[in-house]
Amino acid sequence: MPIPVEKWRNGSIILAGCMLLLILLLGSLAKDQASAVKEGGPVDAAAAQWDKLLALGTGSIHEEMKGTVKWQGDWNTLLAPEEAIGVLATRLGLSEVEPETVQDHEVYSAYGRSMEIRSKLTVTPVKEGTYYVILRLEGEGMETLKEMKSEQTVSGESLADEGVSIHWNAALQGTMKPENGGSPDTGKIVSTSIEDRMQELEDYAAHALKMGLVENYKDADTVSRTYYIPDLPLSVSSGGKTVSLQMAVHRNSETGLEELSLGSPLLTIEY
């Protein structure tokens, strides 16, 4: 299935495959993202897209939101692995490098924290002279997520200045706002189907965005839909189709609450 939505186990969907395969998949998707969608380039386009995603999350998520932003892409340099990540970590103001072995592959990581936003940089050798770079920014709460826009802009510009072919992806997660403005009841499973709850979300989003459904997935506890939205400047190709936004609703069987995940252009994180 072209949507990177994985099997739900123990109340959450986990990404399938090893880290290296995920990196290759993300790289393949990212290469289809338009590199000059706005006059200001991908960094300005990502800022505009984050605003729209945050507005959708603010109107749909009841509990305090969690947000993730990723910059990722190929980097061609003659630097040795330790030197390569050292250059990027210094530019981004991150910690000293920590080498890791993942599925028999060497990965170099660095960490940081700013304005309650946690950062993790990973640099993975692909072949001689080529690395795959992922910078992941995470935070919780509206004030922190508002700051995410400026943080992603600075980090995106820094990576681009160092020669990384940057591509953007973001996600928001939380508990879906209760029906009819009520308060969540953690002891009772509501009667409305998750398909109906997804439709409510889609109807809400359609007030601000012109949405074209591209892909639809559902099982007993989860509904996921992927859309092409002309108003969103950044998109990727999934299964030969252009997509800009993915929304997933999962009903937690223990609490009866709907857990909402919003991703743009696609959901590529655990949820």
Side-chain angles (χ1 to χ4, degrees):
M1 186 168 183
I3 305 176
V5 175
E6 286 71 43
K7 212 176 168 186
W8 199 289
R9 293 176 183 170
N10 298 324
S12 64
I13 295 178
I14 60 174
L15 292 172
C18 68
M19 182 177 179
L20 183 61
L21 291 177
L22 174 60
I23 289 172
L24 294 175
L25 171 62
L26 293 176
S28 177
L29 291 175
K31 287 178 182 178
D32 292 318
Q33 195 174 104
S35 61
V37 291
K38 292 286 185 181
E39 288 184 4
V43 172
D44 287 349
Q49 199 135 323
W50 176 254
D51 283 341
K52 292 183 181 296
L53 188 65
L54 190 58
L56 179 57
T58 301
S60 307
I61 295 176
H62 173 77
E63 298 293 343
E64 202 167 68
M65 282 188 291
K66 297 180 180 180
T68 303
V69 166
K70 286 192 288 185
W71 286 113
Q72 58 201 29
D74 292 326
W75 186 33
N76 296 319
T77 176
L78 297 178
L79 295 173
E82 295 86 350
E83 296 174 309
I85 191 172
V87 167
L88 296 185
T90 298
R91 180 68 186 264
L92 295 168
L94 303 181
S95 66
E96 294 182 1
V97 174
E98 297 180 12
E100 305 174 60
T101 301
V102 180
Q103 298 291 333
D104 298 324
H105 293 277
E106 197 79 354
V107 177
Y108 300 84
S109 302
Y111 301 84
R113 189 182 186 97
S114 173
M115 299 181 297
E116 300 305 315
I117 297 172
R118 301 179 299 278
S119 304
K120 179 181 180 181
L121 172 71
T122 60
V123 175
T124 303
V126 177
K127 59 183 180 180
E128 185 175 356
T130 301
Y131 299 89
Y132 197 79
V133 176
I134 299 177
L135 176 66
R136 180 174 177 135
L137 309 174
E138 296 180 315
E140 296 89 31
M142 182 53 64
E143 293 305 313
T144 299
L145 296 182
K146 287 179 180 178
E147 295 291 343
M148 191 79 82
K149 179 179 176 180
S150 60
E151 190 74 3
Q152 75 169 22
T153 296
V154 172
S155 59
E157 289 174 344
S158 297
L159 290 174
D161 285 346
E162 294 295 336
V164 179
S165 178
I166 56 169
H167 303 279
W168 179 88
N169 190 278
L172 295 173
Q173 297 173 291
T175 301
M176 195 170 181
K177 285 188 174 181
E179 301 168 79
N180 303 319
S183 60
D185 180 353
T186 58
K188 180 181 178 181
I189 297 178
V190 295
S191 58
T192 306
S193 70
I194 54 174
E195 289 90 347
D196 288 341
R197 292 294 273 153
M198 173 61 82
Q199 190 59 52
E200 292 174 17
L201 176 60
E202 190 175 274
D203 291 342
Y204 173 78
H207 286 296
L209 301 170
K210 184 179 179 181
M211 306 170 67
L213 182 63
V214 176
E215 294 164 337
N216 187 14
Y217 166 84
K218 66 178 180 178
D219 59 27
D221 301 310
T222 307
V223 175
S224 172
R225 294 179 182 173
T226 309
Y227 309 85
Y228 171 62
I229 301 176
D231 292 339
L232 296 183
L234 298 177
S235 61
V236 295
S237 177
S238 177
K241 299 176 181 178
T242 302
V243 297
S244 318
L245 174 69
Q246 184 176 354
M247 305 193 298
V249 177
H250 170 73
R251 176 164 290 160
N252 187 310
S253 60
E254 296 181 358
T255 66
L257 298 177
E258 289 89 9
E259 298 164 353
L260 174 61
S261 297
L262 306 172
S264 184
L266 276 174
L267 280 167
T268 60
I269 63 171
E270 297 180 7
Y271 75 98

